[in-house]
Amino acid sequence: EPSDFKQKPLLPPPKMEDAPNPGGGWKPVFDPVSFNTIIGYHWDGGFDYLHDDSTRLQTVELWIPVSRANLRYGKPTPSECCFGGSYDGAPYLIYIHGGAWRDPEIDAMSFNKTAVNILSSLAHQPGALSPEQQSKKKLAGIASINYRLSPYPNHPTDPSYSGDIDRSAKHPDHIHDVLTALGFLQKRFGVKEYILAGHSCGATLALQACMDDKRWNIWGGIKDGEGDVLTVTKPKAVVGFNGLYDLAGFIESPPREYKRWQEAYKEFVTGAFGEDEKVWREACPASADPKWVKEWKLSYEEKRRKVVLVQSLEDSLVPVEQTEGMVEYFEKENEKLGEDEKVKVVVLRDAKGGDHDEVWKRGDKMAEILWYVMEGAI
Ligand SMILES: Nc1ccccc1C(=O)C[C@H](N)C(=O)O
């Protein structure tokens, strides 16, 4: 794999004139701790990952940190702080939102609080202004992916209608969009190393992104709106928050306390994957057979693939059994693999993690966990 990663020269950083809407473009992100400090930039309005072919939801949000040097001297511009080459090779953090493949009220901006907290930690880390830290290149940028949703005709306030192309997606459309976005980020912003995080069905998608493309009927690569075949390298680590990993298993025998959601699960699973239970099984990372871990190939020098599974024990929608099943799957697979092929699995069962969506709504604990993963402390 390393040999077929041909890096084309990157385009210059996007400028204000490229903004999709007047007044859009790079907007400063202010530190939530010391309000008048600029700690990064956010590209207002998102980037279309399919260029002119993008629909409303085929976009990525991007946040970039200011460099330590610029933090010191103040008033940086985005082209100075990130795209000048000083961050070359630093990892990105990429997020996939949840919402059961269909919720119109949860999108890529649901990561904003977490992203801002991470930029703040970066600016406040001890010795942030020292030359040694400046060359450490901890984080190149943060991206959050929008993807087309499945129908939600009975949503109480924003029901989908059949002509809406952004709300008529069916598996494997969602994972196609995610892979296209990852390819776009690699082509446009030079993303190489990255950590892929996801919440709820976003965690499902993050692990699906590690599986072989052929499982999603992709033969000969992902194409973008400019006629290029995109290189999609795989993440070095995946972090799943309150993730869905075995939908058929849940629907077949939900844990007692969660039985009241059985019909709701059936409804959104059918909406996203269709009626065929075999498709649910094959698509889900904890039930896919043959097992897929070997398909997660790393194309850069990295010792080991890592999965961090975070589950709140106060989650009223997703039972911890989803995470336990995923752990078992990896453990069984690891037994068959050589020492340096094994996936490192870390599980965080959070007794005080709050309900299903609290972790991204608050954004503090999510930021902290992702920070530790970036530092290599988890
Ligand atoms: N019932 C679930 C079970 C598990 C995971 C998510 C949900 C959701 O309901 C998500 C979203 N808020 C929805 O309205 O579809």
Side-chain angles (χ1 to χ4, degrees):
E1 279 311 90
S3 54
D4 54 61
F5 190 84
K6 280 190 239 69
Q7 176 82 50
K8 274 207 218 162
L10 290 175
L11 295 168
K15 293 191 294 291
M16 291 304 189
E17 303 89 88
D18 304 328
N21 48 315
W26 293 110
K27 289 283 162 66
V29 175
F30 291 96
D31 191 2
V33 185
S34 54
F35 297 102
N36 51 2
T37 313
I38 295 174
I39 53 171
Y41 285 85
H42 169 240
W43 180 268
D44 189 31
F47 290 97
D48 291 343
Y49 52 75
L50 273 172
H51 308 279
D52 293 343
D53 296 342
S54 272
T55 67
R56 179 176 59 87
L57 287 179
Q58 290 173 315
T59 62
V60 276
E61 297 290 341
L62 190 64
W63 297 258
I64 52 172
V66 295
S67 76
R68 276 56 128 199
N70 282 321
L71 206 72
R72 166 164 226 152
Y73 299 113
K75 283 250 170 214
T77 67
S79 55
E80 286 164 346
C81 66
C82 181
F83 298 102
S86 64
Y87 271 79
D88 258 1
Y92 272 78
L93 172 64
I94 303 177
Y95 179 77
I96 309 169
H97 69 79
W101 291 274
R102 65 176 191 176
D103 193 334
E105 288 170 346
I106 304 176
D107 65 12
M109 278 306 280
S110 65
F111 198 56
N112 190 53
K113 269 203 178 166
T114 304
V116 171
N117 279 326
I118 290 170
L119 293 178
S120 179
S121 300
L122 202 60
H124 286 281
Q125 65 183 317
L129 302 179
S130 75
E132 305 85 73
Q133 284 290 337
Q134 283 175 42
S135 61
K136 251 183 120 180
K137 299 173 184 173
K138 190 178 300 225
L139 181 71
I142 302 171
S144 180
I145 299 173
N146 275 311
Y147 49 91
R148 286 168 296 157
L149 303 176
S150 290
Y152 199 161
N154 53 345
H155 186 276
T157 57
D158 189 7
S160 61
Y161 60 95
S162 58
D164 187 345
I165 43 169
D166 281 297
R167 299 181 68 185
S168 307
K170 194 177 165 200
H171 176 77
D173 293 342
H174 322 93
I175 183 65
H176 275 222
D177 281 358
V178 166
L179 293 170
T180 309
L182 293 172
F184 167 82
L185 288 166
Q186 290 171 27
K187 173 181 160 184
R188 180 70 181 83
F189 298 109
V191 173
K192 277 185 204 151
E193 270 191 38
Y194 64 102
I195 292 164
L196 189 57
H199 174 261
S200 195
C201 74
T204 325
L205 287 160
L207 289 172
Q208 286 174 334
C210 302
M211 295 157 84
D212 195 308
D213 284 0
K214 294 184 192 72
R215 292 185 186 252
W216 322 126
N217 269 320
I218 297 164
W219 307 85
I222 285 265
K223 285 153 206 85
D224 74 356
E226 294 185 319
D228 282 336
V229 175
L230 298 170
T231 315
V232 185
T233 58
K234 300 206 179 292
K236 62 173 180 176
V238 167
V239 190
F241 292 89
N242 301 339
L244 299 165
Y245 305 115
D246 177 9
L247 295 166
F250 180 96
I251 291 167
E252 202 176 270
S253 54
R256 219 159 56 88
E257 308 271 296
Y258 295 82
K259 191 155 169 49
R260 65 186 188 285
W261 298 120
Q262 196 175 26
E263 281 313 306
Y265 270 73
K266 221 182 217 164
E267 186 182 282
F268 73 70
V269 168
T270 308
F273 296 87
E275 302 277 346
D276 188 354
E277 291 176 33
K278 200 167 151 261
V279 176
W280 312 348
R281 260 180 226 292
E282 284 170 356
C284 281
S287 55
D289 202 38
K291 295 203 166 55
W292 56 270
V293 170
K294 274 201 162 170
E295 298 164 19
W296 183 359
K297 296 199 177 91
L298 297 183
S299 58
Y300 30 76
E301 284 168 55
E302 180 62 42
K303 311 104 246 167
R304 251 207 194 175
R305 299 162 288 192
K306 189 192 286 178
V307 176
V308 181
L309 303 174
V310 187
Q311 176 65 49
S312 169
L313 302 180
E314 295 178 322
D315 188 332
S316 67
L317 296 178
V318 178
V320 69
E321 282 83 352
Q322 288 289 307
T323 287
E324 307 300 356
M326 194 67 245
V327 175
E328 257 173 60
Y329 186 96
F330 282 125
E331 281 174 352
K332 269 206 194 124
E333 190 66 350
N334 272 347
E335 279 173 25
K336 292 183 272 166
L337 296 170
E339 215 33 59
D340 44 282
E341 290 177 311
K342 292 189 201 299
V343 180
K344 188 185 174 199
V345 183
V346 178
V347 192
L348 304 175
R349 299 169 188 87
D350 188 353
K352 292 203 174 75
D355 208 350
H356 188 59
D357 291 315
E358 198 170 316
V359 70
W360 62 261
K361 281 189 174 161
R362 290 177 51 98
D364 50 354
K365 200 176 275 183
M366 187 176 256
E368 199 180 332
I369 291 168
L370 293 171
W371 179 263
Y372 285 135
V373 176
M374 287 189 308
E375 293 230 290
I378 294 181

